[in-house]
Amino acid sequence: MAVSQYSLIVLLILRETSSSLIRQSIFTELVKPWDVKISSPEYIHMGLVMAGVSPEQHPEQHYLHRMEKMLRSTISYSQGTPLHLVFISDQESVQVISRRVESAYASMVMGRILLHNEIWKMKRYRIPKLRVEFVDLSAITDKYRDTVEHMKTHFNRFNESYRISESEDNWGFWPATKYDKDLFYLAPFYHLVFPFHKFIVVDADIEFKYRVESLYDVFDDFEEEQMYSLGRDLSPFYRSMVYQYRADNPGTEIGSPGNLQGINTGVVLLHLAKMRESNRFNKYLEVQEIDRVCQKFKFKGFIGDQDWWNLVVWDSPHLVHALPCTFNYQTTTLLNREPWTEVFPSYHACDGEVKIMHGHDV
C-alpha cells in the first residue's frame, strides 16, 4: 500500500473516531432548563439563544455560519477549562445545530493533531472538554408568560415612530419589527430556571480574540453587591431613546457618554446565585415595577429585554459591574451619521486590546 493511501486511511480513522467521541458529548434531547445534565462549577457555562434556524425555517443559514465562527474562536482561545455550551432553542433547530457543532469541533481536533507548525499554539492553548446541551426556550417563556407579554407592551413598540427630539431637523425612524418573538425576552429569567451559579450568555455574532477564561475571570472583579456585568452600547442610540428624560433632567449621566450611556447584551455575565437572592433585582420582574421604571425614564422601546436591562442598570447602577468595552467591542458604525456625527466618537471610543469582537461583519 502506498504511503499516501495509508496516511489517508489513518486520517479517516482518526476523523471518524474523533467524531464518534464528540457525538457522545452532544446531548440532543431538548430539556427544560432546570433539567440540564451539567451544572458543575468545573465548567464554564455559556449560553447562546438560537432558534428557528432549521433549513425549513431559515434557508439562508447565516445564523449557523456566525455560530460556527463564534464556536471556533471560543475553542481556539481556550486554555483547557471545560466548556458547557447551552443552546436555548426549539426542537426544529436541534439537529442542524448539533451537526454543525460536531463538524466544527471535529475539524479543530483534527487540525491540532495534524498541524505541527502550530506547536506554539498547542502549548499556549488547549482544546477544552466540551459538553453541549439544548434547552427548550418555550419552557422559560411559558412559565413566565404574563411577564413576557407585559414586557412586550413596553419593549416591542415597533408600530410607533420614534422622533429624535434633540435634532433640529426633525430626524426620526421606524423601528425593527423582529423583537416580537419570545426569544428576545429570556435573559431576565435565567436565574430562576437554570441551576448554575454563574452563567455567560453571548450572541452568535461574536468572535473571541483572547482566551475565554479571561472573560470568566471578570466574575472575580465583582464587588459584593454586583451581580451581573454588561458592556456599553458603543453608540448614541440610547441617548436618543431617553431624550425626554434628558430634557427634563439637565446634566444627567443617563444616556451621556460613560457607563450609563446604554448597555449592549451581546456579552453578558450573570451571577445567578446572587440574582436569585436579591429582592431588589427580582422586583424588576413585577409588572408594576416595569411600568414604574418605564415611566421614570420616559421610555418606550423595541429591542426586547435589552431595553429592560438598560432600565434596570439606570435605576440601580450599583448592582452592575461595568464590563470593559474590549470584551464586547461592537464593530457597527451605523449611527455614525446625522444627527449623531459629532457625538458618535465619544460613544464609540474603546481603549485597549480587543478581546471579543461583536458585529455582523466579524
Side-chain angles (χ1 to χ4, degrees):
M1 183 183 294
V3 173
S4 59
Q5 290 178 308
Y6 177 78
S7 299
L8 179 60
I9 291 172
V10 170
L11 287 176
L12 291 173
I13 293 173
L14 281 171
R15 183 171 181 83
E16 181 56 33
T17 301
S18 64
S19 293
S20 177
L21 291 172
I22 291 164
R23 223 170 283 129
Q24 296 174 31
S25 300
I26 301 175
F27 305 107
T28 55
E29 178 187 3
L30 189 69
V31 301
K32 304 292 192 292
W34 46 87
D35 290 331
V36 292
K37 295 177 174 64
I38 308 294
S39 59
S40 168
E42 167 195 4
Y43 287 82
I44 292 176
H45 303 286
M46 182 178 294
L48 178 68
V49 178
M50 181 163 282
V53 297
S54 69
E56 295 76 22
Q57 295 168 298
H58 193 80
E60 298 88 352
Q61 298 289 281
H62 66 264
Y63 291 115
L64 285 172
H65 298 320
R66 292 181 193 167
M67 181 276 292
E68 181 174 339
K69 193 168 188 178
M70 181 279 294
L71 178 62
R72 286 178 175 274
S73 69
T74 305
I75 293 171
S76 292
Y77 289 99
S78 170
Q79 292 186 316
T81 303
L83 178 65
H84 180 214
L85 193 59
V86 181
F87 286 97
I88 304 163
S89 190
D90 54 19
Q91 188 63 62
E92 294 77 12
S93 303
V94 170
Q95 288 302 320
V96 67
I97 295 173
S98 63
R99 286 196 296 268
R100 185 63 69 96
V101 172
E102 177 188 330
S103 173
Y105 192 56
S107 68
M108 295 193 71
V109 171
M110 286 294 295
R112 286 292 176 91
I113 293 173
L114 299 174
L115 297 179
H116 301 294
N117 63 328
E118 291 196 352
I119 192 70
W120 66 271
K121 183 178 288 187
M122 294 173 67
K123 290 180 178 178
R124 184 174 179 181
Y125 301 109
R126 295 173 54 201
I127 290 183
K129 176 170 70 174
L130 179 68
R131 295 292 183 269
V132 179
E133 293 196 68
F134 293 87
V135 162
D136 186 357
L137 72 84
S138 66
I140 304 173
T141 53
D142 288 350
K143 186 176 178 65
Y144 299 101
R145 173 55 59 193
D146 291 345
T147 307
V148 168
E149 293 304 320
H150 190 74
M151 285 183 171
K152 288 181 181 181
T153 66
H154 288 291
F155 311 129
N156 181 38
R157 297 174 68 165
F158 64 88
N159 56 351
E160 302 179 35
S161 64
Y162 286 73
R163 183 187 174 200
I164 304 169
S165 220
E166 62 187 339
S167 166
E168 296 178 358
D169 299 317
N170 292 320
W171 290 87
F173 61 90
W174 286 89
T177 60
K178 68 177 183 178
Y179 293 97
D180 59 331
K181 297 180 177 63
D182 284 353
L183 61 88
F184 295 108
Y185 299 87
L186 297 171
F189 310 103
Y190 288 153
H191 65 297
L192 300 175
V193 296
F194 282 109
F196 318 130
H197 277 68
K198 299 173 183 176
F199 195 31
I200 295 174
V201 185
V202 299
D203 282 354
D205 59 338
I206 69 157
E207 183 177 2
F208 280 87
K209 298 292 185 180
Y210 199 70
R211 62 186 184 90
V212 63
E213 287 85 353
S214 67
L215 176 61
Y216 193 79
D217 288 344
V218 172
F219 280 116
D220 295 334
D221 297 330
F222 281 25
E223 295 180 4
E224 185 176 352
E225 286 189 295
Q226 295 174 340
M227 55 189 72
Y228 35 82
S229 185
L230 304 100
R232 291 179 290 126
D233 188 83
L234 300 180
S235 80
F237 173 74
Y238 281 101
R239 171 193 178 108
S240 295
M241 296 296 283
V242 290
Y243 75 83
Q244 188 61 59
Y245 177 82
R246 289 171 57 81
D248 296 342
N249 296 271
T252 181
E253 293 183 30
I254 306 298
S256 297
N259 288 336
L260 298 179
Q261 69 186 47
I263 55 91
N264 179 278
T265 55
V267 180
V268 183
L269 279 69
L270 303 172
H271 198 300
L272 301 185
K274 285 186 176 183
M275 293 163 67
R276 284 190 281 268
E277 297 298 321
S278 172
N279 292 330
R280 175 67 264 176
F281 177 76
N282 285 288
K283 193 170 181 61
Y284 287 116
L285 295 175
E286 297 177 5
V287 167
Q288 297 87 346
E289 191 68 0
I290 295 171
D291 292 343
R292 182 189 70 81
V293 290
C294 286
Q295 184 177 4
K296 173 181 177 178
F297 293 106
K298 309 288 196 302
F299 190 89
K300 63 176 184 177
F302 58 89
I303 307 188
D305 63 29
Q306 177 169 294
D307 289 338
W308 177 85
W309 275 110
N310 270 280
L311 294 173
V312 172
V313 167
W314 290 332
D315 196 57
S316 295
H318 62 288
L319 300 182
V320 64
H321 175 84
L323 184 69
C325 60
T326 54
F327 283 108
N328 183 7
Y329 181 73
Q330 299 129 54
T331 60
T332 181
T333 56
L334 182 64
L335 295 190
N336 190 13
R337 58 180 181 178
E338 293 295 342
W340 304 286
T341 307
E342 289 187 13
V343 300
F344 184 85
S346 60
Y347 284 85
H348 197 68
C350 181
D351 297 328
E353 178 187 3
V354 173
K355 296 178 173 65
I356 299 177
M357 296 279 282
H358 177 197
H360 299 322
D361 54 350
V362 298

